[in-house]
Protein backbone atom coordinates (compact mmCIF):
# COMPACT_ATOMS: atom_id res chain seq x y z
CA UNK A 1 0.00 0.00 0.00
CA UNK A 2 2.84 2.41 0.80
CA UNK A 3 4.23 2.08 -2.72
CA UNK A 4 0.76 2.39 -4.24
CA UNK A 5 0.06 5.62 -2.34
CA UNK A 6 3.43 7.10 -3.27
CA UNK A 7 2.99 6.16 -6.93
CA UNK A 8 -0.47 7.65 -6.87
CA UNK A 9 0.76 10.97 -5.48
CA UNK A 10 3.63 11.02 -7.96
CA UNK A 11 1.13 10.64 -10.81
CA UNK A 12 -1.20 13.35 -9.49
CA UNK A 13 1.77 15.69 -9.19
CA UNK A 14 2.78 14.89 -12.78
CA UNK A 15 -0.74 15.35 -14.14
CA UNK A 16 -1.26 18.75 -12.55
CA UNK A 17 2.36 19.91 -12.60
CA UNK A 18 2.50 20.94 -8.93
CA UNK A 19 3.86 19.62 -5.62
CA UNK A 20 1.31 17.21 -4.16
CA UNK A 21 0.65 15.73 -0.73
CA UNK A 22 -1.70 13.05 0.52
CA UNK A 23 -3.02 13.35 4.07
CA UNK A 24 -5.56 11.36 6.03
CA UNK A 25 -8.38 12.86 8.08
CA UNK A 26 -6.03 13.22 11.04
CA UNK A 27 -3.89 15.59 8.90
CA UNK A 28 -1.09 13.01 8.89
CA UNK A 29 1.25 13.25 5.90
CA UNK A 30 1.06 9.91 4.04
CA UNK A 31 3.03 10.69 0.86
CA UNK A 32 4.33 13.67 -1.05
CA UNK A 33 5.91 14.50 -4.38
CA UNK A 34 7.94 17.61 -5.24
CA UNK A 35 8.22 19.13 -8.70
CA UNK A 36 11.31 20.48 -10.50
CA UNK A 37 13.49 22.72 -8.32
CA UNK A 38 11.23 21.85 -5.41
CA UNK A 39 13.26 18.63 -5.03
CA UNK A 40 16.26 20.74 -4.03
CA UNK A 41 14.33 22.99 -1.66
CA UNK A 42 11.99 20.36 -0.27
CA UNK A 43 12.64 21.14 3.36
CA UNK A 44 11.16 24.63 3.15
CA UNK A 45 8.11 23.27 1.35
CA UNK A 46 7.78 20.45 3.87
CA UNK A 47 7.83 22.92 6.71
CA UNK A 48 5.01 24.83 5.08
CA UNK A 49 2.99 21.69 4.44
CA UNK A 50 3.64 20.23 7.86
CA UNK A 51 1.12 22.59 9.50
CA UNK A 52 -1.45 20.23 7.97
CA UNK A 53 -0.09 17.16 9.74
CA UNK A 54 -1.22 15.60 12.99
CA UNK A 55 1.06 18.08 14.74
CA UNK A 56 -1.08 21.06 13.70
CA UNK A 57 -3.07 22.95 16.29
CA UNK A 58 -6.81 22.65 16.60
CA UNK A 59 -7.13 26.24 15.37
CA UNK A 60 -5.11 25.46 12.22
CA UNK A 61 -7.20 22.41 11.44
CA UNK A 62 -10.39 24.39 11.98
CA UNK A 63 -9.09 27.12 9.65
CA UNK A 64 -9.09 24.62 6.79
CA UNK A 65 -12.29 22.90 7.85
CA UNK A 66 -14.08 26.24 7.78
CA UNK A 67 -13.60 26.19 3.99
CA UNK A 68 -15.63 22.97 3.80
CA UNK A 69 -12.93 20.36 3.22
CA UNK A 70 -14.80 17.81 5.39
CA UNK A 71 -17.96 18.20 3.29
CA UNK A 72 -16.39 18.56 -0.15
CA UNK A 73 -17.18 15.91 -2.74
CA UNK A 74 -15.28 17.63 -5.57
CA UNK A 75 -12.28 19.93 -6.06
CA UNK A 76 -12.06 22.79 -3.59
CA UNK A 77 -9.67 25.74 -3.47
CA UNK A 78 -8.37 27.12 -0.17
CA UNK A 79 -6.73 30.55 -0.04
CA UNK A 80 -3.29 31.54 1.16
CA UNK A 81 -2.60 32.86 4.63
CA UNK A 82 0.82 34.62 4.49
CA UNK A 83 0.89 35.18 8.24
CA UNK A 84 0.54 31.44 8.95
CA UNK A 85 2.81 30.51 6.03
CA UNK A 86 0.00 28.70 4.19
CA UNK A 87 0.06 28.58 0.39
CA UNK A 88 -2.92 28.55 -1.94
CA UNK A 89 -4.08 24.95 -2.40
CA UNK A 90 -6.26 22.88 -4.69
CA UNK A 91 -7.89 20.24 -2.48
CA UNK A 92 -9.16 16.95 -3.90
CA UNK A 93 -11.21 15.04 -1.31
CA UNK A 94 -10.29 11.37 -0.94
CA UNK A 95 -13.46 9.35 -0.43
CA UNK A 96 -14.63 5.77 -0.69
CA UNK A 97 -18.33 4.89 -0.79
CA UNK A 98 -19.09 8.37 0.41
CA UNK A 99 -16.82 8.23 3.45
CA UNK A 100 -14.01 10.77 3.72
CA UNK A 101 -10.54 9.25 4.19
CA UNK A 102 -8.33 12.27 3.56
CA UNK A 103 -7.29 14.86 0.99
CA UNK A 104 -4.93 15.27 -1.94
CA UNK A 105 -3.44 18.76 -1.86
CA UNK A 106 -1.84 20.52 -4.82
CA UNK A 107 0.42 23.36 -3.64
CA UNK A 108 0.04 25.75 -6.55
CA UNK A 109 1.36 28.99 -4.97
CA UNK A 110 -1.20 30.99 -6.93
CA UNK A 111 -0.45 29.46 -10.35
CA UNK A 112 -3.04 30.69 -12.83
CA UNK A 113 -3.36 27.39 -14.73
CA UNK A 114 -4.42 25.49 -11.60
CA UNK A 115 -6.72 28.35 -10.66
CA UNK A 116 -8.86 27.48 -13.72
CA UNK A 117 -12.15 25.74 -12.88
CA UNK A 118 -11.04 22.65 -14.83
CA UNK A 119 -7.23 22.52 -15.11
CA UNK A 120 -5.72 19.99 -17.55
CA UNK A 121 -5.41 16.55 -15.97
CA UNK A 122 -8.02 17.21 -13.28
CA UNK A 123 -10.34 14.39 -14.32
CA UNK A 124 -7.53 11.85 -14.15
CA UNK A 125 -6.39 13.27 -10.80
CA UNK A 126 -9.92 12.89 -9.40
CA UNK A 127 -9.94 9.25 -10.47
CA UNK A 128 -6.67 8.77 -8.60
CA UNK A 129 -8.21 10.44 -5.54
CA UNK A 130 -10.97 7.82 -5.67
CA UNK A 131 -8.32 5.09 -5.87
CA UNK A 132 -6.57 6.58 -2.83
CA UNK A 133 -9.90 6.37 -0.99
CA UNK A 134 -10.12 2.66 -1.76
CA UNK A 135 -6.60 2.07 -0.50
CA UNK A 136 -7.08 4.04 2.70
CA UNK A 137 -10.39 2.32 3.40
CA UNK A 138 -8.57 -1.01 3.27
CA UNK A 139 -5.83 -0.03 5.73
CA UNK A 140 -5.41 -2.46 8.63
CA UNK A 141 -5.80 -1.16 12.15
CA UNK A 142 -2.29 -0.11 13.28
CA UNK A 143 -0.60 -2.19 15.96
CA UNK A 144 1.80 -0.73 18.52
CA UNK A 145 5.17 -2.38 17.87
CA UNK A 146 7.25 0.19 19.71
CA UNK A 147 8.61 -2.43 22.07
CA UNK A 148 10.01 -4.46 19.19
CA UNK A 149 11.61 -1.34 17.73
CA UNK A 150 13.25 -0.43 21.05
CA UNK A 151 14.62 -3.96 21.39
CA UNK A 152 15.77 -4.09 17.76
CA UNK A 153 17.72 -0.84 18.14
CA UNK A 154 19.60 -2.56 20.97
CA UNK A 155 20.53 -5.45 18.62
CA UNK A 156 17.74 -7.87 19.58
CA UNK A 157 17.63 -10.01 16.44
CA UNK A 158 14.24 -11.70 17.04
CA UNK A 159 12.64 -8.26 17.49
CA UNK A 160 14.26 -7.08 14.24
CA UNK A 161 12.96 -10.18 12.47
CA UNK A 162 9.42 -9.50 13.69
CA UNK A 163 9.63 -5.94 12.40
CA UNK A 164 10.99 -7.21 9.11
CA UNK A 165 8.14 -9.69 8.78
CA UNK A 166 5.63 -6.91 9.47
CA UNK A 167 7.12 -4.42 7.03
CA UNK A 168 8.47 -6.82 4.41
CA UNK A 169 11.90 -8.42 4.44
CA UNK A 170 13.33 -6.22 1.68
CA UNK A 171 11.36 -3.04 2.36
CA UNK A 172 13.62 0.05 2.32
CA UNK A 173 13.62 1.71 5.74
CA UNK A 174 15.17 4.71 7.42
CA UNK A 175 15.51 5.46 11.12
CA UNK A 176 14.84 8.95 12.46
CA UNK A 177 16.17 10.26 15.79
CA UNK A 178 14.22 13.15 17.28
CA UNK A 179 16.26 15.04 19.89
CA UNK A 180 13.99 17.32 21.96
CA UNK A 181 15.46 20.49 23.44
CA UNK A 182 14.81 21.67 26.96
CA UNK A 183 12.66 19.45 29.14
CA UNK A 184 11.95 16.92 26.43
CA UNK A 185 8.67 15.72 24.98
CA UNK A 186 5.51 17.75 25.63
CA UNK A 187 2.66 15.91 27.33
CA UNK A 188 0.59 13.94 24.88
CA UNK A 189 3.11 14.29 22.07
CA UNK A 190 2.95 11.68 19.28
CA UNK A 191 5.21 11.25 16.26
CA UNK A 192 3.45 11.78 12.92
CA UNK A 193 3.69 9.43 10.01
CA UNK A 194 1.35 6.75 8.75
CA UNK A 195 3.00 3.34 8.63
CA UNK A 196 5.83 4.48 10.91
CA UNK A 197 6.81 2.80 14.18
CA UNK A 198 8.04 5.01 17.01
CA UNK A 199 9.35 4.55 20.52
CA UNK A 200 11.08 6.60 23.20
CA UNK A 201 14.74 5.77 23.82
CA UNK A 202 16.12 7.66 26.80
CA UNK A 203 15.32 11.33 26.12
CA UNK A 204 15.04 10.81 22.36
CA UNK A 205 12.42 9.40 20.03
CA UNK A 206 13.22 6.72 17.48
CA UNK A 207 11.04 6.40 14.39
CA UNK A 208 11.28 3.54 11.89
CA UNK A 209 9.82 4.61 8.56
CA UNK A 210 9.30 2.43 5.46
CA UNK A 211 10.41 4.20 2.28
CA UNK A 212 9.07 3.91 -1.26
CA UNK A 213 12.59 3.66 -2.68
CA UNK A 214 16.01 2.80 -1.25
CA UNK A 215 17.62 5.91 -2.76
CA UNK A 216 14.96 8.35 -1.55
CA UNK A 217 14.93 9.40 2.11
CA UNK A 218 12.69 12.44 1.52
CA UNK A 219 9.71 10.91 3.38
CA UNK A 220 11.94 10.53 6.46
CA UNK A 221 13.11 14.14 6.17
CA UNK A 222 9.48 15.25 5.74
CA UNK A 223 8.40 13.29 8.81
CA UNK A 224 11.26 14.80 10.82
CA UNK A 225 10.33 18.35 9.85
CA UNK A 226 6.68 17.71 10.71
CA UNK A 227 7.56 16.17 14.08
CA UNK A 228 9.79 19.10 15.06
CA UNK A 229 6.81 21.47 14.83
CA UNK A 230 5.46 19.98 18.07
CA UNK A 231 8.78 19.89 19.88
CA UNK A 232 10.44 22.76 21.78
CA UNK A 233 12.43 25.34 19.86
CA UNK A 234 15.99 24.16 19.36
CA UNK A 235 15.05 20.49 18.91
CA UNK A 236 16.80 18.64 16.11
CA UNK A 237 16.36 15.47 14.09
CA UNK A 238 18.68 13.05 12.33
CA UNK A 239 17.95 10.66 9.47
CA UNK A 240 19.94 7.48 8.89
CA UNK A 241 21.04 6.12 5.56
CA UNK A 242 18.27 3.91 4.10
CA UNK A 243 18.75 0.13 4.21
CA UNK A 244 16.77 -2.81 2.89
CA UNK A 245 15.02 -4.63 5.71
CA UNK A 246 15.53 -4.35 9.45
CA UNK A 247 18.84 -6.16 9.86
CA UNK A 248 20.93 -3.02 10.43
CA UNK A 249 18.70 -1.04 12.79
CA UNK A 250 21.38 -0.55 15.50
CA UNK A 251 23.73 0.98 12.93
CA UNK A 252 20.95 3.13 11.49
CA UNK A 253 19.95 4.32 14.96
CA UNK A 254 23.53 5.38 15.70
CA UNK A 255 23.68 7.26 12.39
CA UNK A 256 20.40 9.03 13.12
CA UNK A 257 21.42 9.95 16.67
CA UNK A 258 24.77 11.28 15.50
CA UNK A 259 23.14 13.28 12.69
CA UNK A 260 20.68 14.87 15.15
CA UNK A 261 23.59 15.78 17.42
CA UNK A 262 25.52 17.43 14.57
CA UNK A 263 22.36 19.34 13.60
CA UNK A 264 22.42 20.86 17.07
CA UNK A 265 25.96 22.15 16.55
CA UNK A 266 26.04 23.17 12.89
CA UNK A 267 23.39 25.74 11.90
CA UNK A 268 23.85 24.98 8.21
CA UNK A 269 22.61 21.43 8.85
CA UNK A 270 19.84 22.29 11.33
CA UNK A 271 17.21 21.34 12.24
CA UNK A 272 17.13 18.09 10.23
CA UNK A 273 20.40 16.45 9.17
CA UNK A 274 20.84 13.28 7.16
CA UNK A 275 23.79 11.00 7.85
CA UNK A 276 24.64 11.06 4.14
CA UNK A 277 25.12 14.85 4.14
CA UNK A 278 27.39 15.16 7.19
CA UNK A 279 30.67 14.88 5.30
CA UNK A 280 33.67 15.16 7.65
CA UNK A 281 31.34 15.57 10.60
CA UNK A 282 30.77 11.80 10.39
CA UNK A 283 34.32 11.32 11.66
CA UNK A 284 34.12 14.10 14.24
CA UNK A 285 30.87 12.91 15.80
CA UNK A 286 32.36 9.47 16.44
CA UNK A 287 35.20 10.92 18.55
CA UNK A 288 34.98 10.77 22.33
CA UNK A 289 35.69 14.49 22.43
CA UNK A 290 38.46 16.97 21.62
CA UNK A 291 42.03 15.79 22.14
CA UNK A 292 43.11 16.87 25.66
CA UNK A 293 46.42 18.00 24.16
CA UNK A 294 44.54 21.02 22.76
CA UNK A 295 43.07 22.11 26.10
CA UNK A 296 45.15 25.29 26.26
CA UNK A 297 43.98 26.42 22.83
CA UNK A 298 40.35 25.43 23.39
CA UNK A 299 40.33 27.48 26.57
CA UNK A 300 40.75 30.61 24.44
CA UNK A 301 37.51 31.18 22.48
CA UNK A 302 39.06 33.82 20.19
CA UNK A 303 41.92 31.58 19.08
CA UNK A 304 39.61 28.57 18.80
CA UNK A 305 37.20 30.48 16.57
CA UNK A 306 40.09 31.80 14.49
CA UNK A 307 41.47 28.30 13.97
CA UNK A 308 38.07 26.91 13.02
CA UNK A 309 37.29 29.62 10.48
CA UNK A 310 40.77 29.55 8.95
CA UNK A 311 40.63 25.77 8.54
CA UNK A 312 37.03 25.83 7.24
CA UNK A 313 38.23 28.34 4.64
CA UNK A 314 40.97 25.93 3.51
CA UNK A 315 43.72 28.12 4.99
CA UNK A 316 42.79 31.15 2.88
CA UNK A 317 43.89 34.32 4.74
CA UNK A 318 41.60 36.51 2.62
CA UNK A 319 38.42 34.50 3.21
CA UNK A 320 39.19 33.80 6.87
CA UNK A 321 39.92 37.45 7.67
CA UNK A 322 36.72 38.51 5.90
CA UNK A 323 34.58 36.05 7.84
CA UNK A 324 36.22 36.99 11.15
CA UNK A 325 35.95 40.70 10.26
CA UNK A 326 39.60 41.36 11.20
CA UNK A 327 42.60 42.79 9.39
CA UNK A 328 44.80 40.20 7.74
CA UNK A 329 47.71 41.14 9.99
CA UNK A 330 45.50 40.38 13.00
CA UNK A 331 44.75 36.98 11.51
CA UNK A 332 48.46 36.28 11.00
CA UNK A 333 49.17 37.27 14.60
CA UNK A 334 46.47 34.91 15.87
CA UNK A 335 47.75 32.07 13.72
CA UNK A 336 51.19 32.60 15.21
CA UNK A 337 49.68 32.40 18.69
CA UNK A 338 47.84 29.19 17.75
CA UNK A 339 51.10 27.63 16.58
CA UNK A 340 52.82 28.78 19.75
CA UNK A 341 50.12 27.49 22.11
CA UNK A 342 49.71 24.11 20.40
CA UNK A 343 53.25 23.49 19.20
CA UNK A 344 51.86 22.68 15.75
CA UNK A 345 53.37 23.43 12.38
CA UNK A 346 50.39 24.98 10.57
CA UNK A 347 52.08 24.35 7.23
CA UNK A 348 51.93 20.59 7.90
CA UNK A 349 48.82 18.76 6.63
CA UNK A 350 48.77 16.29 9.50
CA UNK A 351 48.97 19.03 12.12
CA UNK A 352 46.18 20.94 10.39
CA UNK A 353 44.01 17.83 10.41
CA UNK A 354 44.60 17.27 14.12
CA UNK A 355 43.73 20.89 14.85
CA UNK A 356 40.59 20.79 12.71
CA UNK A 357 39.33 17.66 14.44
CA UNK A 358 39.98 19.24 17.84
CA UNK A 359 38.11 22.49 17.18
CA UNK A 360 35.18 20.71 15.54
CA UNK A 361 34.97 18.19 18.37
CA UNK A 362 34.97 21.09 20.83
CA UNK A 363 32.13 22.79 18.98
CA UNK A 364 30.14 19.56 18.95
CA UNK A 365 30.69 19.04 22.67
CA UNK A 366 29.62 22.61 23.45
CA UNK A 367 26.61 22.93 21.13
CA UNK A 368 25.59 19.44 20.16
CA UNK A 369 24.99 18.24 23.69
CA UNK A 370 26.52 15.26 25.49
CA UNK A 371 27.71 12.28 23.51
CA UNK A 372 25.09 9.50 23.69
CA UNK A 373 25.96 6.37 25.60
CA UNK A 374 25.23 2.79 24.52
CA UNK A 375 21.95 2.47 22.64
CA UNK A 376 21.82 6.19 21.90
CA UNK A 377 20.80 7.07 25.46
CA UNK A 378 21.40 10.56 26.81
Amino acid sequence: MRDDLQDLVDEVSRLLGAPATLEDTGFTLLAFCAQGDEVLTGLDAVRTRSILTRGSTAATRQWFRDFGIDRATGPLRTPADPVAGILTRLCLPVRHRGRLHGWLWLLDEGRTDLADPDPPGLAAALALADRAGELLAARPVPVDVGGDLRAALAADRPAADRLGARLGADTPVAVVALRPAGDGLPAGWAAPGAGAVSTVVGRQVAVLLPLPHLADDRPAVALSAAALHRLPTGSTAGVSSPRSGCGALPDQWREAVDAARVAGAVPALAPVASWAELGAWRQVVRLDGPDPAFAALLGDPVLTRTAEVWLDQAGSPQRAAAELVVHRQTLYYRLGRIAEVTGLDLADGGDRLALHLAVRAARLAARGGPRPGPGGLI
Side-chain angles (χ1 to χ4, degrees):
M1 182 185 298
R2 288 184 303 273
D3 289 347
D4 289 342
L5 291 175
Q6 184 62 53
D7 290 345
L8 185 150
V9 172
D10 289 345
E11 180 63 10
V12 170
S13 180
R14 186 193 67 79
L15 285 167
L16 296 180
T21 62
L22 173 64
E23 295 166 337
D24 65 16
T25 53
F27 291 86
T28 298
L29 180 67
L30 303 179
F32 82 95
C33 180
Q35 279 281 324
D37 291 341
E38 192 63 20
V39 173
L40 300 178
T41 58
L43 265 182
D44 288 340
V46 165
R47 286 171 180 157
T48 302
R49 292 193 296 271
S50 68
I51 60 173
L52 294 175
T53 68
R54 187 168 58 194
S56 61
T57 66
T60 300
R61 299 181 191 188
Q62 191 61 46
W63 188 88
F64 282 94
R65 287 189 163 121
D66 285 344
F67 293 105
I69 62 172
D70 289 333
R71 303 182 301 277
T73 57
L76 177 71
R77 181 162 296 283
T78 60
D81 182 348
V83 175
I86 300 173
L87 300 177
T88 304
R89 285 165 164 76
L90 179 64
C91 174
L92 307 183
V94 173
R95 293 182 174 274
H96 180 63
R97 295 180 179 176
R99 181 180 176 185
L100 181 69
H101 289 279
W103 305 274
L104 273 165
W105 300 92
L106 281 301
L107 308 180
D108 61 12
E109 302 183 56
R111 281 176 42 197
T112 56
D113 56 338
L114 285 186
D116 293 339
D118 186 13
L122 180 59
L126 289 172
L128 289 170
D130 290 341
R131 174 58 181 157
E134 294 177 14
L135 291 172
L136 294 181
R139 283 190 303 179
V141 177
V143 178
D144 181 12
V145 290
D148 274 348
L149 175 58
R150 191 162 47 251
L153 297 178
D156 184 315
R157 187 68 197 191
D161 290 342
R162 288 192 295 271
L163 287 171
R166 180 179 298 278
L167 299 178
D170 296 322
T171 298
V173 298
V175 175
V176 171
L178 301 172
R179 189 181 178 98
D183 295 330
L185 295 173
W189 184 89
V197 180
S198 62
T199 188
V200 176
V201 181
R203 294 186 63 250
Q204 301 177 98
V205 177
V207 184
L208 173 64
L209 182 67
L211 302 174
H213 307 291
L214 186 61
D216 186 2
D217 67 355
R218 288 178 299 164
V221 175
L223 180 145
S224 302
L228 289 176
H229 274 269
R230 291 193 65 200
L231 291 177
T233 301
S235 300
T236 60
V239 178
S240 75
S241 298
R243 308 281 211 288
S244 292
C246 296
L249 291 183
D251 292 338
Q252 288 179 281
W253 174 234
R254 187 182 183 194
E255 290 177 358
V257 168
D258 286 345
R261 186 168 172 239
V262 172
V266 184
L269 297 174
V272 181
S274 297
W275 176 254
E277 71 178 333
L278 295 189
W281 283 102
R282 284 186 288 187
Q283 283 71 47
V284 177
V285 75
R286 295 292 168 88
L287 297 175
D288 290 331
D291 187 335
F294 291 90
L297 171 70
L298 299 177
D300 186 323
V302 173
L303 293 184
T304 299
R305 172 65 177 159
T306 299
E308 182 176 27
V309 170
W310 180 68
L311 291 163
D312 285 346
Q313 294 298 336
S316 168
Q318 297 90 336
R319 294 197 300 269
E323 183 171 338
L324 291 166
V325 194
V326 298
H327 192 278
R328 201 179 305 176
Q329 290 303 317
T330 300
L331 174 66
Y332 289 138
Y333 168 75
R334 291 182 184 176
L335 292 176
R337 287 286 299 137
I338 291 168
E340 181 182 342
V341 169
T342 61
L344 298 177
D345 177 2
L346 298 186
D348 181 82
D351 282 1
R352 287 193 188 195
L353 176 60
L355 178 59
H356 212 169
L357 289 173
V359 296
R360 283 199 165 188
R363 190 212 294 197
L364 191 61
R367 303 181 192 175
R371 186 170 187 266
L377 293 171
I378 60 171

